[in-house]
Amino acid sequence: DSADFDEEVKSICPFCGVGCQISLKVKDGKVKYVDGINGPANEGRLCVKGRFGFDYIHHDHRLTKPLIRRDDAPAKGLNVDPGNWSEFFREATWDEALDVAAKGLRDIGGRGVAGFGSAKCTNEEAYLFQKLIRQGFGHNNVDHCTRLCHASSVAALMENVGSGAVTATFNEIENADVAIVIGANPVENHPVAATFFKQFTKRGGKLIVMDPRGVGLRRFASHMLQFRPGTDVSMLNAIMHVIVEEKLYDEQYIAAYTENWEAEKAHLADFTPEKMAAVCGIEAEVLRDVARTFAGAKAAMIFWGMGVSQHIHGTDNARCLISLALMTGQVGRPGSGLHPLRGQNNVQGASDAGLVPMFLPDYQSVMDDGVRRAFTEVWGSEDFSAQKGLTVTEIMDAVHEGSIKGIYVLGENPAMSDPDVEHARDALAKLEHLVVQDIFITETANYADVILPASAFAEKSGTVTNTNRQVQMGRRAVAPPGEAREDWWIEVELAKRLGLGWSYESPAEVFAEMKLNMRSLNNITWERLERENAVTYPSLSETDPGQAIVFADGFPRPDGRARFTPASIIAPDDVPDADFPMILTTGRQLEHWHTGSMTRRSTVLDGLEPEANCSLHPSTLRKLGVAPGGHVRLTTKRGSIEIMAREDRAVSPDMVFLPFAYVEAAANILTNPAVDPYGKIPEFKFSAVKVEAA
Ligand code: SF4
């Protein structure tokens, strides 16, 4: 009823990478409710987070003034009550807080300073953040949560197809007859995408689900492969072995568009399904059937999530998926393609905008002199380091070693999100200067010297890019509370105090600058996005809505050829033993988002899932003598937590599934910081754990 609201503003859901378009209904300066509208990814649909997860923006914990740590404050890292922080911080004017923030970073200077941006940033904010670190400090120590998410997928895609983005939108599944979903639980993590997957099965599509947990899509699956955790490479190589053995591969496609096939073929010879069945726990006949089903498809897609990427062999896992698609010629046609489902709303866009230590915007290498020159010419500044910067976890190690002394954090919460989080928290406590820009006093802000009050998604305008490569326009619907400011404004003011001479007056101006060195944005202008709300990149003309499928005629690699990179079996880093006999895996659940700072302050979502919980198989609970809803203690080599246990037949008897949104039982106290050597992503999906009744 239009009488319910004064104004209606179109924007983008701030949570997952599906990027649902929404209409914010505003009354008396507040968002009252949210409806789904007809965006290219969601076609009017929303999940519970998009529909009900918005009232955190009006929560009374919101930061409304800049804060500076008191001289007589208790030690850094003690829990600050977000509603009552006066023992730790004092209010300051913007001028004073920005001056103190900039002076602290400037006094440390150069490689002593690092930056953590966020996938919650708009594209413009992400671009400005990486520019501030590179131009302001002369090096590339800037990263964001992609490192904890799909960095290994991007490493494999860049290496083998020449581009880190998806080759086809997830909506292309409507043109497929077979699809694999591996290491992903879209029903909870990409719920609107999952509705398209379910529709695909209703019209006869074959859905092959592969996951150590019996995830929600299993009810729709033609094949459910609940393989042993960490054995992806053995299972996928066995499937590819059958395709080679039975000559089910697409010889013409391989000859026209790929390289290194002979090496791949030779490598696969050893991986017979009969041998690999003992490793991955899937019967040889099932592996053969899946191979025949996938290779027999007219059009097939492969979707994957963090179950693939968050391993020390995450890049190898993704290499296998790429090889499987290439050998069957399932890239570049309608209904075919490779699609890593992006986690956060703007993790694609923030990566595209250069918020990573090895790439400038559009994945242009920092090591290339010509690339750096192109940027410094636009920026009117000196050259900066040609060395790759440090990643999220390496930055924390460098703090412990004493080489990094100051960090600027925008929207990230490493005191909750890093693996082996006590290591990260100790690092934050050691810093000489920590500037945190956020909307709440997060766990990371417990360590801050200066806190800059920022804006929630509905309080600012800017573009974001979803998992489908769709660049979409987010719009300001309400004003930030009190003296909180839009994030781009804060970045500009800080840069001015670092002597960078910035003078941007709007995100539109930033977007125009980004276009000068980002070919992915060709034919996409701010005005066009204001008019059309979404344009998919690449867009071939000012009227082209963008290409849903890419690489029909070859790949952005030498000779236009994609590459097969063989992958061998590597054991997980932290294997179970007599002391820690079970396997811990972490992830999200439908109602909560990442470190919980937003969704646990959303009335409906917190009402649905108010308590920290883990999932155990009924037989495990019985053995422990714990009733469903009772409490267990989880202990790994890193630490211990106590938590309510749910009964869940989807997890196998030797596994624990643990969501990471709950500060009172923080999953990352337990997780292993060992990383994949290529993507530098931690092994969140596998730790040896002991489970006891609490
Ligand atoms: Fe938001 Fe993702 Fe849900 Fe869509 S599917 S409403 S983008 S959380």
Side-chain angles (χ1 to χ4, degrees):
D1 181 346
S2 60
D4 288 354
F5 53 88
D6 308 326
E7 203 190 349
E8 193 175 2
V9 180
K10 288 180 180 167
S11 193
I12 311 298
C13 171
F15 295 109
C16 87
V18 172
C20 295
Q21 287 194 5
I22 56 177
S23 161
L24 298 160
K25 307 295 199 277
V26 179
K27 194 172 176 67
D28 302 328
K30 292 202 164 178
V31 177
K32 289 292 171 192
Y33 61 98
V34 171
D35 276 334
I37 54 175
N38 193 22
N42 63 314
E43 299 176 10
R45 306 165 201 197
L46 291 183
C47 79
V48 68
K49 284 195 288 290
R51 191 169 295 283
F52 298 112
F54 61 86
D55 61 339
Y56 72 88
I57 68 177
H58 303 308
H59 197 281
D60 59 11
H61 287 171
R62 280 295 301 274
L63 288 159
T64 57
K65 289 212 172 210
L67 303 179
I68 293 178
R69 183 170 286 276
R70 286 184 179 283
D71 293 337
D72 58 353
K76 282 184 176 180
L78 292 176
N79 274 337
V80 179
D81 177 349
N84 182 16
W85 36 258
S86 56
E87 191 190 350
F88 296 85
F89 297 102
R90 64 176 175 82
E91 290 181 351
T93 62
W94 269 107
D95 268 338
E96 185 191 7
L98 287 163
D99 285 348
V100 172
K103 181 174 183 320
L105 297 175
R106 224 177 33 225
D107 285 353
I108 296 165
R111 287 181 190 280
V113 173
F116 284 171
S118 170
K120 293 190 205 111
C121 295
T122 64
N123 291 328
E124 297 74 34
E125 291 159 3
Y127 174 85
L128 289 182
F129 194 86
Q130 59 84 34
K131 176 174 172 180
L132 183 144
I133 296 295
R134 290 182 162 121
Q135 188 185 8
F137 299 98
H139 62 74
N140 299 293
N141 289 342
V142 59
D143 204 359
H144 78 293
C145 47
T146 187
R147 195 66 42 211
L148 310 176
C149 168
H150 262 308
S152 46
S153 309
V154 172
L157 287 163
M158 291 293 292
E159 171 189 50
N160 297 298
V161 298
S163 158
V166 300
T167 73
T169 64
F170 67 74
N171 312 72
E172 267 304 308
I173 198 170
E174 73 179 38
N175 296 315
D177 54 327
V178 176
I180 289 177
V181 176
I182 175 169
N185 186 7
V187 170
E188 302 218 27
N189 296 331
H190 303 84
V192 165
T195 65
F196 289 88
F197 297 178
K198 292 175 194 170
Q199 272 179 345
F200 153 80
T201 63
K202 287 195 176 140
R203 59 164 187 74
K206 286 193 178 142
L207 184 66
I208 301 165
V209 179
M210 303 170 169
D211 202 290
R213 281 167 78 206
V215 292
L217 280 176
R218 72 184 178 282
R219 288 193 294 124
F220 301 84
S222 60
H223 301 72
M224 174 72 218
L225 277 58
Q226 201 165 344
F227 62 98
R228 292 205 182 102
T231 62
D232 317 52
V233 169
S234 62
M235 178 180 68
L236 294 168
N237 276 355
I239 290 167
M240 290 192 282
H241 172 99
V242 177
I243 292 174
V244 173
E245 183 189 45
E246 299 186 7
K247 295 201 168 24
L248 303 174
Y249 48 85
D250 184 336
E251 221 162 341
Q252 269 185 341
Y253 185 88
I254 292 168
Y257 294 118
T258 71
E259 64 182 34
N260 213 29
W261 169 237
E262 289 306 322
E264 176 77 28
K265 220 162 59 165
H267 179 77
L268 291 171
D270 260 357
F271 293 85
T272 64
E274 288 67 27
K275 257 204 267 177
M276 291 305 112
V279 181
C280 67
I282 304 296
E283 286 171 20
E285 257 328 292
V286 175
L287 295 169
R288 287 187 182 278
D289 190 35
V290 166
R292 290 170 195 142
T293 304
F294 190 81
K298 284 201 223 39
M301 295 188 74
I302 302 178
F303 298 93
W304 72 94
M306 258 118 271
V308 163
S309 60
Q310 289 177 336
H311 284 282
I312 60 162
H313 48 86
T315 304
D316 279 331
N317 293 347
R319 284 171 175 153
C320 290
L321 297 173
I322 294 164
S323 294
L324 177 59
L326 292 177
M327 70 170 62
T328 48
Q330 294 294 3
V331 180
R333 287 179 294 109
S336 73
L338 291 158
H339 192 120
L341 287 154
R342 304 290 161 163
Q344 294 221 32
N345 145 297
N346 199 35
V347 73
Q348 180 67 59
S351 304
D352 295 345
L355 205 50
V356 280
M358 54 294 280
F359 297 125
L360 280 148
D362 260 1
Y363 306 92
Q364 301 177 79
S365 172
V366 297
M367 296 189 291
D368 184 319
D369 295 347
V371 165
R372 287 197 317 287
R373 201 172 317 116
F375 280 91
T376 49
E377 271 171 18
V378 169
W379 298 349
S381 59
E382 306 274 293
D383 194 9
F384 54 91
S385 174
Q387 247 183 323
K388 290 179 187 175
L390 300 178
T391 61
V392 163
T393 49
E394 289 170 343
I395 286 170
M396 289 308 184
D397 291 341
V399 176
H400 279 289
E401 285 156 15
S403 56
I404 286 183
K405 296 181 165 48
I407 302 186
Y408 173 25
V409 179
L410 196 176
E412 195 92 323
N413 192 6
M416 272 290 282
S417 59
D418 269 26
D420 187 11
V421 80
E422 293 298 355
H423 176 82
R425 290 175 182 177
D426 288 348
L428 292 170
K430 276 190 182 167
L431 287 170
E432 284 174 16
H433 194 64
L434 175 62
V435 178
V436 173
Q437 180 171 327
D438 215 308
I439 63 173
F440 297 115
I441 296 193
T442 58
E443 291 70 29
T444 301
N446 288 343
Y447 299 83
D449 295 282
V450 183
I451 303 177
L452 305 173
S455 43
F457 80 103
E459 297 159 358
K460 60 188 174 187
S461 294
T463 65
V464 288
T465 307
N466 68 0
T467 190
N468 280 346
R469 297 182 263 103
Q470 282 146 353
V471 186
Q472 307 200 86
M473 181 58 82
R475 294 183 179 83
R476 175 170 162 143
V478 294
E483 292 178 25
R485 290 284 181 275
E486 295 192 26
D487 293 78
W488 69 269
W489 179 90
I490 303 171
E491 291 172 283
V492 170
E493 290 301 314
L494 196 60
K496 283 181 188 166
R497 286 160 177 84
L498 291 169
L500 306 187
W502 292 9
S503 59
Y504 305 99
E505 291 195 345
S506 70
E509 215 180 300
V510 181
F511 189 82
E513 180 179 311
M514 291 166 69
K515 281 173 61 61
L516 298 175
N517 273 316
M518 289 181 73
R519 284 170 52 201
S520 63
L521 297 178
N522 283 357
N523 299 309
I524 306 177
T525 61
W526 185 270
E527 295 69 31
R528 193 176 165 196
L529 289 170
E530 277 195 324
R531 218 171 38 241
E532 299 176 26
N533 293 325
V535 180
T536 305
Y537 77 75
S539 164
L540 305 184
S541 72
E542 281 170 20
T543 53
D544 173 23
Q547 303 293 299
I549 304 155
V550 291
F551 310 148
D553 305 313
F555 296 87
R557 290 193 77 256
D559 298 330
R561 288 176 181 274
R563 180 184 160 82
F564 288 99
T565 298
S568 300
I569 298 174
I570 300 171
D573 180 73
D574 185 15
V575 290
D577 56 21
D579 294 332
F580 302 98
M582 290 181 58
I583 299 164
L584 173 79
T585 189
T586 66
R588 299 200 303 252
Q589 44 185 168
L590 173 65
E591 295 80 3
H592 284 303
W593 186 249
H594 286 225
T595 65
S597 60
M598 302 189 312
T599 51
R600 296 200 78 194
R601 291 183 175 94
S602 297
T603 320
V604 171
L605 300 176
D606 194 51
L608 289 168
E609 276 295 356
E611 189 180 348
N613 60 84
C614 67
S615 300
L616 287 162
H617 192 270
S619 65
T620 315
L621 283 175
R622 259 197 316 277
K623 250 201 268 172
L624 293 167
V626 174
H631 284 71
V632 291
R633 186 177 309 110
L634 307 179
T635 307
T636 67
K637 289 167 196 140
R638 271 75 52 193
S640 190
I641 62 169
E642 286 189 12
I643 192 164
M644 185 257 281
R646 247 180 210 157
E647 184 179 83
D648 187 353
R649 287 179 191 280
V651 295
S652 55
D654 61 347
M655 265 180 87
V656 191
F657 172 73
L658 177 62
F660 62 90
Y662 300 96
V663 63
E664 63 275 34
N668 286 319
I669 287 175
L670 307 179
T671 51
N672 184 3
V675 295
D676 171 282
Y678 308 97
K680 305 284 173 81
I681 195 167
E683 193 155 53
F684 287 119
K685 288 289 186 273
F686 198 111
S687 298
V689 65
K690 175 164 68 179
V691 185
E692 303 162 288

